[in-house]
Amino acid sequence: MATSLPIRVRGACPHDCPDTCAWQVTVEEGRATRVVGDAEHPITRGTLCAKVNHFLDRVYSDERVLHPLRRSGPKGSGRFEQVSWETALTEVAAGLADRIERHGGETVLPFSYMGTQGLIQGSDAGSRFFGRIGATRLIRAVCGSTGSAGVQQAIGTNTGLVPEEIRHSRFIVLWGTNTIVTNVHLWPLIREAQAEGAHVVVIDPASTRTARSADWHVQPIPGTDTALAMGLMHVIVRDGLQDDDYLERHATGFADFAARLGEYTPERTSEICGVPAEEIERLAHAYASTPSSCIRLLVGMEHRGVGAETFRTIAYLPVVTGAWRHRGGGLLFMTVGMHWSALNGGPLERTDLVRPGTRSVNMVQLGRALTDPQMEPPVTALIVNGSNPVVTMPNQSLTIAGLQRDDLLTVVHEQFLTDTAMHADYVLPATTQVEHLDVMWSWGHDYLTLNLPAVKPVGEAVATSELFRRLATAMGLADDFLHLSDDAMLDIALDSDELRGMGITRERLEGEGWAHLSDDRGPTPFADGGFPTDDGRCAFVAPTRPVASSRTAEYPLHLISAKDSVHHLNSSYAHVPWHVKAAGESTVSMHLEDADARGLEDGDLVDVVNERATVPARLRVGGVRRGVVTMPSGWARGAAGASANALTPDGLSDAGGGGNFHDTFVEVRRVRADGSA
Ligand SMILES: Nc1nc2c(c(=O)[nH]1)N[C@H]1C(S)=C(S)[C@@H](COP(=O)(O)OP(=O)(O)OC[C@H]3O[C@@H](n4cnc5c(=O)[nH]c(N)nc54)[C@H](O)[C@@H]3O)O[C@H]1N2
Ligand SMILES: Nc1nc2c(c(=O)[nH]1)N[C@H]1C(S)=C(S)[C@@H](COP(=O)(O)OP(=O)(O)OC[C@H]3O[C@@H](n4cnc5c(=O)[nH]c(N)nc54)[C@H](O)[C@@H]3O)O[C@H]1N2
Ligand SMILES: [Mo]
């Protein structure tokens, strides 16, 4: 038998992560055998991460869904039988047609997120199909929208510095972000700055890996960062460290704002934030007296009722000090805008297909949409791709109650039998990134990446794009725009003057794998103001609610369920045995004094309890400030029956449409030998 030589195929990590790594896949005899980070890529620099080093275990996992499945037991029982694609599509199409006829198109709810963040296979892959059938619109604002809304209120954009500029900073504030775990490819750039004398400060209630690796860890009470930012600006202005010239030329409303700063003396701020007054003074001075101070914001801190206001208030700091004037100074946040303006996504998304007045459902309130008797028309069909809402959306028991409804047709396109797929009527097999074509934008850097398919789809898996072509065919919808090939979609996505102006073409991406989006704003985008607001100035507005909602006597501990595991990517690895083993049990971390007060010890099996749920976890003593407990999000419910999101509320943040799921309060109790709490 003739054997073929190994080949290398260029691609990119699909994950919802700021790093969007470029990778190369080795293929031997039609099978992917190795995946390595691209050594030339300036952010990837030849390394992947703890999860993605094992991506091929995911591709070839015994647990993968490889054929269409139809439910054969009660909802949620996890009993399925294999059926053909034709049977599944015929039955799903009939189910949809029947429901649309009875209730209208809005009875169908699409639910997708960033299981893959490619333009072709990602959360918008179904948008033309859903626009065509008149489905309810999904507000996909769970991540980044709230923080972006806040920063935009201040400076008109969520695009500040690009990550490589952080090397030029000499004072780096990682504010509510766990870089080493969630944005690991930024860390070497921070280390380069540190080697040149930069000071690294982490502001986080939890002692994350990043906090432990920083020069300085400031531990505020959760949800009080708005007040902390006000306190810092109080000291800066009190001591004359502000940049009057910059403020005069590039800000509006600063005089009124400065008057409000009077309330936030270090003593008062200390009472609100639980940070010593002396530390507030010291931080304000160190920040304001280093010209090239950079604040790195990401996402975790936004998931609060005061999230947008917090981000807005923090975004004022580099304006007050004029840090924007200096290379490496300012704010580092999102880069997604650079990608969206360069790519030609409009003809793929086709928002023009949506009838005016079509109703919307916010994704963080999925449980409400599925259970609210007032919904008119009711949601009777749910089509999920690239998301695992049972684990990742708040108020888990309400989501599950909705999914248990007998009249609800649930279709889940997945790689694994996730907790959401377990509740489906039909599970349809999805390809992984090495099996499909895509073009990857990034919210954490300014490199566009092409992902070429390296191997044929495993089993009967199909790409998300193909799923929607097949559904359209099964429903008798022949419109050309529902049947664009992946190849054609790639050409459309790259058909932009902006990309051509940068010399970025399909041929170049096919040869080189990735390309830098040039930034005509230069390395100091706001050195001379020019904020993309209506008047080009930063708009100062004092906060109205500087503190998040508070605890009750019954549930006195503030729960943060963040992403504190290198073995998880949201819930994406919760169903791969290798990762389950590496990640271990779900844990809850607590301060020693809080543990002592409850007679708890490290290693105890405990219940984390509130009015919504009881979630078992292993106690870890240490790692957080008093009054706070942390649980990593992303663990599947598994045998425990609930994950951290069983405890979280499904309210909204103050702007941007994100959730408030970090405003959660709990009590922690030991599980007695007989299993009772
Ligand atoms: N390994 C791994 N990497 C990931 C992910 C993952 O699941 N695993 N997920 C990816 C995704 S989708 C995202 S959005 C990013 C998120 O990246 P990050 O925003 O860095 O991560 P989070 O863990 O959500 O939150 C960061 C920190 O915010 C802190 N925090 C919470 N509330 C407050 C507060 O009130 N004040 C302050 N100062 N801090 C607070 C938490 O304690 C946490 O340590 O990570 C991405 N990268
Ligand atoms: N308590 C708490 N809740 C949170 C957060 C938190 O910090 N705390 N973080 C929030 C944030 S920032 C985010 S971004 C969300 C994430 O929420 P989700 O987007 O729901 O995240 P994942 O759990 O990664 O689910 C993605 C799913 O997509 C599947 N998938 C991957 N690629 C493909 C594909 O090509 N096609 C299809 N059909 N499926 C695919 C994966 O197998 C996986 O099951 O969670 C939010 N929820
Ligand atoms: Mo996210």
Side-chain angles (χ1 to χ4, degrees):
M1 197 178 84
T3 54
S4 51
L5 290 172
I7 54 163
R8 286 191 137 200
V9 182
R10 287 184 178 280
C13 178
H15 288 314
D16 183 2
C17 166
D19 295 6
T20 318
C21 289
W23 72 23
Q24 295 194 14
V25 183
T26 306
V27 180
E28 297 173 88
E29 307 288 330
R31 192 177 164 96
T33 54
R34 207 164 118 84
V35 53
V36 292
D38 189 323
E40 309 289 312
H41 190 280
I43 306 289
T44 307
R45 296 177 167 197
T47 65
L48 295 171
C49 66
K51 309 164 292 295
V52 180
N53 282 331
H54 302 276
F55 193 82
L56 297 180
D57 294 352
R58 187 180 169 88
V59 175
Y60 297 115
S61 168
D62 292 340
E63 309 284 312
R64 243 188 98 176
V65 177
L66 295 178
H67 304 281
L69 303 174
R70 180 172 61 194
R71 181 167 62 84
S72 60
K75 291 214 179 201
S77 64
R79 292 215 295 278
F80 294 99
E81 60 188 348
Q82 188 179 324
V83 293
S84 68
W85 263 105
E86 194 186 338
T87 301
L89 287 165
T90 308
E91 293 178 9
V92 168
L96 289 175
D98 168 58
R99 287 167 170 79
I100 293 170
E101 193 180 304
R102 278 187 287 139
H103 302 288
E106 284 178 326
T107 197
V108 180
L109 178 64
F111 196 98
S112 61
Y113 206 57
M114 303 224 289
T116 168
Q117 59 172 40
L119 195 63
I120 298 175
Q121 314 297 351
S123 51
D124 280 334
S127 66
R128 280 162 287 136
F129 174 79
F130 291 116
R132 172 69 176 79
I133 66 171
T136 293
R137 304 200 73 194
L138 184 71
I139 300 173
R140 295 182 185 82
V142 74
C143 175
S145 305
T146 289
S148 294
V151 172
Q152 274 159 355
Q153 285 168 11
I155 61 170
T157 176
N158 61 0
T159 314
L161 299 177
V162 296
E164 286 158 284
E165 285 301 312
I166 207 165
R167 287 179 296 195
H168 300 281
S169 175
R170 294 297 170 262
F171 195 84
I172 297 170
V173 185
L174 304 172
W175 201 323
T177 177
N178 187 1
T179 312
I180 294 178
V181 171
T182 61
N183 185 191
V184 62
H185 292 81
L186 186 67
W187 191 247
L189 302 174
I190 292 173
R191 299 287 290 180
E192 277 181 42
Q194 231 177 359
E196 296 295 321
H199 230 69
V200 178
V201 185
V202 167
I203 304 182
D204 196 314
S207 301
T208 60
R209 286 183 196 213
T210 314
R212 294 196 299 273
S213 308
D215 300 306
W216 186 351
H217 179 197
V218 179
Q219 266 186 296
I221 293 169
T224 65
D225 301 81
T226 312
L228 181 58
M230 293 297 280
L232 294 174
M233 286 185 274
H234 172 103
V235 175
I236 290 168
V237 172
R238 183 197 68 192
D239 296 348
L241 298 170
Q242 78 278 19
D243 185 334
D244 286 324
D245 174 63
Y246 193 86
L247 283 165
E248 198 166 307
R249 290 194 293 131
H250 308 307
T252 51
F254 185 68
D256 290 344
F257 182 85
R260 288 287 307 282
L261 288 175
E263 300 161 36
Y264 295 89
T265 60
E267 294 67 32
R268 175 77 189 111
T269 306
S270 173
E271 279 167 24
I272 299 171
C273 304
V275 176
E278 166 279 324
E279 192 172 15
I280 296 168
E281 302 248 3
R282 207 154 34 93
L283 181 59
H285 280 249
Y287 172 78
S289 58
T290 313
S292 56
S293 290
C294 177
I295 296 173
R296 172 30 159 189
L297 291 171
L298 210 58
V299 172
M301 191 170 48
E302 77 173 22
H303 306 306
R304 300 191 170 280
V306 296
E309 195 164 81
T310 299
F311 276 63
R312 183 182 78 210
T313 310
I314 293 172
Y316 293 143
L317 273 156
V319 179
V320 170
T321 62
W324 284 114
R325 290 184 195 267
H326 309 280
R327 186 130 192 221
L331 198 69
L332 172 58
F333 186 28
M334 296 279 168
T335 53
V336 46
M338 302 174 74
H339 292 262
W340 285 119
S341 73
L343 287 160
N344 182 35
L348 300 181
E349 200 187 346
R350 289 291 305 270
T351 48
D352 59 298
L353 293 169
V354 179
R355 252 185 301 108
T358 301
R359 80 165 166 205
S360 301
V361 161
N362 190 307
M363 67 189 303
V364 299
Q365 298 179 331
L366 174 63
R368 297 192 197 190
L370 296 180
T371 55
D372 180 356
Q374 309 296 322
M375 286 290 276
E376 191 43 53
V379 173
T380 61
L382 176 71
I383 302 182
V384 182
N385 63 275
S387 184
N388 182 15
V390 167
V391 178
T392 58
M393 295 302 122
N395 203 355
Q396 182 173 54
S397 47
L398 199 64
T399 308
I400 292 174
L403 291 172
Q404 293 285 355
R405 267 174 44 205
D406 270 330
D407 62 325
L408 180 72
L409 169 66
T410 304
V411 180
V412 177
H413 186 233
E414 252 298 348
Q415 299 161 348
F416 292 90
L417 273 182
T418 61
D419 289 8
T420 305
M422 292 290 268
H423 289 85
D425 298 298
Y426 295 86
V427 184
L428 303 175
T431 45
T432 67
Q433 187 80 339
V434 297
E435 300 153 63
H436 57 228
L437 178 72
D438 216 335
V439 55
M440 313 304 292
W441 50 277
S442 171
W443 47 279
H445 62 65
D446 50 348
Y447 294 86
L448 185 68
T449 328
L450 182 66
N451 179 72
L452 294 168
V455 296
K456 290 208 180 67
V458 182
E460 291 185 274
V462 304
T464 315
S465 53
E466 174 65 10
L467 169 74
F468 287 104
R469 288 188 292 260
R470 289 188 182 190
L471 270 178
T473 302
M475 294 189 71
L477 301 172
D479 315 65
D480 288 345
F481 60 82
L482 296 178
H483 296 279
L484 295 171
S485 67
D486 292 7
D487 233 42
M489 285 193 255
L490 177 63
D491 284 333
I492 293 171
L494 298 177
D495 181 16
S496 96
D497 289 339
E498 207 170 320
L499 286 175
R500 274 186 289 274
M502 298 174 189
I504 300 176
T505 59
R506 179 167 176 164
E507 293 63 42
R508 184 173 152 204
L509 286 171
E510 281 172 349
E512 297 169 16
W514 45 268
H516 186 232
L517 299 177
S518 42
D519 183 2
D520 52 20
R521 306 172 315 159
T524 50
F526 307 123
D528 198 21
F531 295 108
T533 51
D534 288 344
D535 59 1
R537 289 160 172 261
C538 169
F540 277 84
V541 179
T544 51
R545 295 169 290 178
V547 183
S549 59
S550 58
R551 66 203 73 227
T552 62
E554 203 179 349
Y555 303 116
L557 298 166
H558 197 134
L559 170 71
I560 299 177
S561 50
K563 300 175 167 64
D564 196 10
S565 162
V566 294
H567 298 293
H568 279 77
L569 195 291
N570 300 316
S571 77
S572 278
Y573 287 88
H575 308 87
V576 186
W578 184 91
H579 289 271
V580 172
K581 213 163 138 227
E585 313 168 272
S586 181
T587 54
V588 59
S589 298
M590 178 186 266
H591 192 275
L592 178 64
E593 287 173 33
D594 287 327
D596 282 349
R598 290 165 176 77
L600 298 173
E601 284 176 29
D602 191 76
D604 280 351
L605 186 61
V606 293
D607 278 334
V608 186
V609 188
N610 69 8
E611 68 277 22
R612 276 176 218 95
T614 297
V615 180
R618 188 68 65 183
L619 185 73
R620 292 276 166 262
V621 173
V624 280
R625 59 163 295 132
R626 270 181 51 207
V628 181
V629 292
T630 57
M631 290 180 85
S633 65
W635 259 260
R637 291 189 312 132
S643 57
N645 267 322
L647 298 158
T648 56
D650 56 0
L652 298 182
S653 55
D654 45 350
N660 70 342
F661 44 84
H662 281 343
D663 293 339
T664 301
F665 295 89
V666 298
E667 183 50 284
V668 176
R669 302 181 185 132
R670 183 187 287 107
V671 178
R672 284 203 292 265
D674 64 4
S676 64

